[in-house]
Amino acid sequence: MRRAFLDHPFVAAAQEAITAIKAGEPVERLESLTLDFKEEAGRRDKQGAHQPGKARNDPAARALAEEACCLANSEGGVLVVGVADERIGVDALIGTELDDEWLRERIWECSEPRLAVEIQPIYDGDVRLLLILVQRGYRLHRSGRRYKHRVG
């Protein structure tokens, strides 16, 4: 990973939160105005079980573009993809197979005005997570029809 990416305060906070999750801290207690954990949309079957991921998952990309715009319209922050918020400890780290370059491009394409994000995969053992760094926007961004922002 690039040093500047790792040194960003939002990224450092995300990495500390991942460590806290592994130690048993509930995911929802660690989310904040600048930190959000997401599982990849479309990976659950009808019974709620997680299915294997794909490198390209357009419903997930659209959902993540909406979340990235929401962060950009607030203070900016980090989306951590590959975390199930209803699980505790290492079981919460379910991972993702999304291709980071493809996802970065899809977030760009799905946002208005275009939103550039930085994405880096990180590994916890054999579990691959994605860190999506979103800078605070200079203008309001949207994905879909509505402008959203984070509150509290």
Side-chain angles (χ1 to χ4, degrees):
M1 256 189 272
R2 293 185 330 274
R3 187 86 232 150
F5 186 89
L6 286 175
D7 290 338
H8 194 286
F10 291 153
V11 172
Q15 290 181 309
E16 289 174 14
I18 292 167
T19 300
I21 289 169
K22 290 173 19 181
E25 188 73 29
V27 173
E28 67 272 1
R29 286 192 193 156
L30 297 167
E31 292 183 321
S32 68
L33 185 64
T34 60
L35 179 61
D36 201 3
F37 294 97
K38 295 293 176 192
E39 63 180 79
E40 185 183 329
R43 279 192 54 195
R44 290 185 186 244
D45 63 18
K46 291 180 182 178
Q47 291 75 34
H50 289 94
Q51 300 302 307
K54 301 177 201 171
R56 295 183 178 199
N57 175 346
D58 206 56
R62 290 181 180 279
L64 291 168
E66 187 172 318
E67 295 300 330
C69 287
C70 189
L71 278 176
N73 292 340
S74 300
E75 299 296 318
V78 171
L79 296 170
V80 181
V81 183
V83 180
D85 62 3
E86 80 282 355
R87 295 185 181 183
I88 300 290
V90 294
D91 289 341
L93 305 181
I94 58 172
T96 182
E97 297 301 319
L98 288 171
D99 178 270
D100 50 301
E101 285 301 313
W102 173 84
L103 180 59
R104 186 179 60 76
E105 186 174 324
R106 285 301 292 141
I107 290 173
W108 172 267
E109 292 168 349
C110 293
S111 56
E112 170 102 13
R114 303 295 188 213
L115 180 62
V117 298
E118 292 183 66
I119 303 178
Q120 288 290 325
I122 63 169
Y123 293 85
D124 186 81
D126 60 347
V127 176
R128 180 178 176 269
L129 305 173
L130 291 179
L131 299 181
I132 303 174
L133 177 60
V134 181
Q135 300 295 336
R136 182 177 186 172
Y138 294 108
R139 297 174 52 196
L140 288 177
H141 293 272
R142 68 185 168 111
S143 180
R145 297 177 184 244
R146 296 187 297 184
Y147 293 92
K148 296 182 178 181
H149 68 280
R150 291 183 65 82
V151 178

